[in-house]
Amino acid sequence: MDLQTAQAILNKIKAYDTIIIHRHMRPDPDALGSQVGLAEILRASFPEKQIYQVGKTVDHLEYLATMQEIADEVYQDSLVIVTDTANAPRISDERYHLGKELIKIDHHPNDEPYGDLVYVDTTASSCSEIICDFYQQLADELTMTTEAARLLYAGIVGDTGRFLYPATTAKTLRMASFLREFDFDATLLNRQLSQISLAVSKLVGYVYQNLKIDENGAACCYLSQAILQQYGVDDSMTAHLVPLPGEIDQVQAWALFVEQPEGYYRVRLRSKTKPINEIAKRHYGGGHPLASGANAYSLEEAQEIYQEIKDVLKNSHKE
Ligand code: AMP
């Protein structure tokens, strides 16, 4: 982020007494880290302002942060900031448009530039990295706290798969190093981020056992409601399963189809090198080139998505 952009965002913040920060539905550590990390920085920097973090709370990430409940009236004359969310329909708590002005801060492809001020950096590993960058540009005017550092660090660790994914850059590591200087319990945090329940550990075995892999490395696994119930796991606990197929040498791109209680499938797409986000966009989704999400409204549509992954790898094989 350049100084001019950081100043433009800060000027908006300075102009409002009430600032409400949102993020995407089904939050992950980066959604919460960037949202509440920013909220903590602003609370410490501007104690006279009212700063709120809103959206649906997710039980298993309560060690990171919990949300606040606010009345509709609070939005009057407020500034709303949305972090880590590419499309407006995915913003958690649809009241985001009730504020006077809206700022989008994100690292996904800017498919929907909603907001009066939009800052998107697709080269950032995570939205938490962007918030840390924003702070560093304006360090003489803003205050970083230990709690903000803990949250932003969690967001970076979460979205980079512990500094493993290709979006991890030298800058990511510099930001993480800066945050790590603060006095939070990083050992505990890392454990919390990577810990799984015994039920999920058993489902890990199911995923490895039932993964379908074609000759070009296109892989998929279906998690039906019956299987989820049998293992005592719900959708919100499946995040740890998503990277697993990528650990297998011959797998190049993969989809995890998680059946929802309503009957449709949540699709989680990943790839080692070939972009798969165009597939996601064709099926009510989107995301990063190598990490996207979509929805399939029938088993046939799920099969189509798997076929599209196979086609991407088959065609690239010919190149
Ligand atoms: P997930 O598999 O849910 O971890 O999502 C991977 C990436 O795809 C994240 O960066 C999400 O923001 C994005 N994504 C997931 N689901 C959707 C969706 N329905 N629409 C747009 N983007 C999505």
Side-chain angles (χ1 to χ4, degrees):
M1 184 179 288
D2 58 33
L3 183 58
Q4 211 180 354
T5 307
Q7 279 292 357
I9 296 172
L10 185 63
N11 288 342
K12 294 275 182 214
I13 290 167
K14 283 182 175 166
Y16 286 87
D17 295 329
T18 301
I19 298 155
I20 306 169
I21 312 180
H22 291 238
R23 41 70 192 166
H24 62 78
M25 297 166 172
R26 291 170 164 159
D28 52 19
D30 187 37
L32 293 180
S34 57
Q35 175 196 27
V36 188
L38 176 61
E40 290 291 328
I41 291 170
L42 297 185
R43 279 187 193 110
S45 310
F46 305 103
E48 70 288 0
K49 293 186 191 295
Q50 304 299 315
I51 315 285
Y52 298 103
Q53 58 217 35
V54 302
K56 202 167 163 227
T57 291
V58 175
D59 294 342
H60 67 278
L61 289 177
E62 269 169 349
Y63 65 87
L64 285 178
T66 51
M67 296 294 112
Q68 292 167 303
E69 295 199 4
I70 58 171
D72 292 358
E73 299 81 70
V74 180
Y75 282 86
Q76 211 175 348
D77 293 326
S78 72
L79 171 66
V80 174
I81 302 177
V82 181
T83 66
D84 198 38
T85 313
N87 329 82
R90 288 199 82 227
I91 301 172
S92 184
D93 197 333
E94 69 262 11
R95 296 179 297 169
Y96 69 88
H97 59 84
L98 297 182
K100 196 163 172 203
E101 278 193 283
L102 181 63
I103 298 180
K104 170 185 182 180
I105 302 177
D106 190 26
H107 72 126
H108 299 93
N110 196 11
D111 292 329
E112 191 188 334
Y114 63 83
D116 304 293
L117 198 163
V118 175
Y119 179 74
V120 171
D121 178 4
T122 55
T123 69
S125 68
S126 52
C127 199
S128 296
E129 180 181 318
I130 295 177
I131 301 299
C132 186
D133 196 4
F134 168 70
Y135 163 78
Q136 288 199 336
Q137 288 294 335
L138 302 164
D140 49 347
E141 291 193 72
L142 295 174
T143 305
M144 178 65 75
T145 67
T146 300
E147 180 57 4
R150 183 182 80 94
L151 289 160
L152 296 174
Y153 189 82
I156 294 174
V157 169
D159 255 32
T160 59
R162 297 187 220 134
F163 309 107
L164 182 72
Y165 304 146
T168 310
T169 62
K171 183 175 176 181
T172 312
L173 296 169
R174 279 198 300 276
M175 297 289 171
S177 164
F178 164 74
L179 295 167
R180 189 68 182 73
E181 295 282 350
F182 287 80
D183 191 24
F184 60 87
D185 189 340
T187 309
L188 172 65
L189 179 64
N190 284 323
R191 194 181 311 125
Q192 288 167 323
L193 286 165
S194 56
Q195 209 153 257
I196 55 172
S197 65
L198 188 60
V200 171
S201 78
K202 303 216 161 146
L203 195 54
V204 167
Y206 177 89
V207 170
Y208 281 132
Q209 291 282 353
N210 291 277
L211 200 65
K212 230 184 336 183
I213 311 175
D214 85 346
E215 67 282 9
N216 296 315
C220 77
C221 183
Y222 290 83
L223 296 175
S224 66
Q225 274 293 308
I227 287 295
L228 293 177
Q229 278 162 19
Q230 185 184 323
Y231 283 83
V233 170
D234 65 34
D235 176 77
S236 72
M237 295 153 81
T238 60
H240 286 278
L241 304 169
V242 185
L244 299 180
E247 290 176 4
I248 302 168
D249 53 3
Q250 70 197 81
V251 171
Q252 291 302 323
W254 64 101
L256 215 59
F257 298 102
V258 186
E259 192 182 9
Q260 304 296 304
E262 299 84 356
Y264 73 93
Y265 291 84
R266 175 185 185 186
V267 189
R268 311 187 77 170
L269 294 159
R270 299 291 187 272
S271 173
K272 285 181 183 166
T273 54
K274 303 294 167 201
I276 36 72
N277 55 336
E278 291 303 321
I279 302 176
K281 281 194 219 167
R282 286 195 288 274
H283 298 276
Y284 317 96
H288 305 281
L290 304 180
S292 298
N295 293 297
Y297 289 97
S298 63
L299 200 54
E300 291 71 39
E301 187 175 7
Q303 285 159 349
E304 258 171 54
I305 292 174
Y306 182 45
Q307 185 59 49
E308 288 177 40
I309 298 173
K310 287 166 125 180
D311 292 344
V312 164
L313 294 181
K314 196 171 169 186
N315 295 335
S316 69
H317 219 64
K318 284 190 218 140
E319 280 165 13

